[in-house]
Amino acid sequence: MIRILIVEDEKPIADLLDMSLTAAGYTCDCRMSGTEAADAVGEKRYDLILLDVMLPGIDGFELMEYLAPLGIPVIFITARSAVKDRIKGLKLGADDYIVKPFEIAELLARVETVLRRCHKTDDTIVVGDVTVDTQSRVVKRGGEVVPLTAKEYALLLLFLQNRNIALFRETIYERVWENDYMGDSRTVDLHVQRLRKKLGWQDRITAVYKVGYRLEVRE
Ligand code: CA
């Protein structure tokens, strides 16, 4: 279980972060001030902290100085215009930053990347009877190895990193094929169909009208 501390005093943003990360399978706690956040890290073990810069009382930078020796990865949340805040955050030892307003897919990708870099991820992802070993890249269904192509594997990882979130065909294409989307969705559709069939995920990867696809994980 990966535990994330969200330190953000704007409640709608804190709620959005909490909801999105919880839906993606993380366990989250929220704190509204630097003092409360410092108390929280004293009480529980966290794998990652999402830290807003502008906080009442102790701000994000001051808190970062307190957190740095603890070795917990930190992603700063900064306002769009505050370029120097981003640089200052990184200099203080933050692992990454995210700029408000952010897209959920970007947030999840950054969280995943930082956790992976800091070796905080579980190497094995389990969804139903499917297990994915992200170190060896071996995928099994009911204990049997499922051979996937490189693109199918990349597609699977993208879905797993964005559980219960509708992904646009464009986003899928750009992330998996690392090319600009030229309006041909058949490549994406074909690969989704292949992945569904191989994993028995006909009901799990659902088509979202006018958007694309969503991986449904409700366990
Ligand atoms: Ca704030």
Side-chain angles (χ1 to χ4, degrees):
M1 183 176 65
I2 305 284
R3 192 182 286 281
I4 299 178
L5 178 64
I6 299 163
V7 189
E8 167 65 77
D9 60 315
E10 286 165 73
K11 190 144 192 318
I13 296 177
D15 288 347
L16 176 68
L17 289 166
D18 186 9
M19 221 169 56
S20 313
L21 292 165
T22 302
Y26 300 107
T27 303
C28 300
D29 290 332
C30 295
R31 293 293 181 274
M32 309 281 272
S33 75
T35 317
E36 289 170 315
D39 288 343
V41 294
E43 286 159 13
K44 267 190 209 163
R45 176 195 62 81
Y46 290 98
D47 299 295
L48 176 70
I49 301 173
L50 294 185
L51 181 55
D52 183 29
V53 174
M54 300 292 285
L55 291 169
I58 304 172
D59 72 13
F61 292 134
E62 289 169 301
L63 187 62
M64 183 69 213
E65 290 181 40
Y66 173 78
L67 294 173
L70 301 176
I72 308 168
V74 172
I75 298 178
F76 264 113
I77 308 167
T78 69
R80 180 189 282 276
S81 55
V83 176
K84 65 175 194 306
D85 278 2
R86 293 177 221 166
I87 296 164
K88 186 171 175 188
L90 293 172
K91 278 190 177 161
L92 283 171
D95 295 87
D96 204 349
Y97 60 84
I98 188 146
V99 179
K100 288 190 262 194
F102 48 81
E103 284 190 29
I104 297 306
E106 188 200 353
L107 165 79
L108 294 176
R110 285 180 186 271
V111 164
E112 183 84 7
T113 304
V114 168
L115 287 171
R116 191 168 303 284
R117 201 194 300 143
C118 301
H119 306 291
K120 296 280 190 182
T121 47
D122 297 330
D123 290 342
T124 309
I125 302 168
V126 181
V127 174
D129 66 346
V130 172
T131 59
V132 181
D133 185 323
T134 56
Q135 289 296 308
S136 62
R137 301 168 75 96
V138 171
V139 179
K140 289 182 181 175
R141 178 185 172 193
E144 299 283 320
V145 173
V146 181
L148 296 183
T149 66
K151 293 298 181 209
E152 287 166 353
Y153 182 79
L155 179 62
L156 172 60
L157 274 195
L158 181 68
F159 276 126
L160 289 170
Q161 288 162 0
N162 295 278
R163 291 165 209 209
N164 303 312
I165 292 171
L167 292 170
F168 282 92
R169 279 196 180 77
E170 290 88 328
T171 310
I172 295 173
Y173 188 83
E174 286 172 6
R175 291 287 181 84
V176 173
W177 279 267
E178 295 175 351
N179 257 323
D180 287 341
Y181 185 72
M182 304 300 276
D184 179 9
S185 64
R186 288 172 58 191
T187 312
V188 171
D189 294 338
L190 178 68
H191 278 76
V192 168
Q193 281 164 28
R194 298 288 303 156
L195 193 63
R196 273 180 178 152
K197 197 172 167 197
K198 287 184 176 184
L199 300 179
W201 279 7
Q202 283 83 354
D203 296 332
R204 223 182 248 291
I205 302 177
T206 54
V208 182
Y209 182 62
K210 286 190 173 170
V211 177
Y213 296 98
R214 180 174 55 223
L215 174 63
E216 311 271 357
V217 182
R218 301 287 174 210
E219 58 237 32

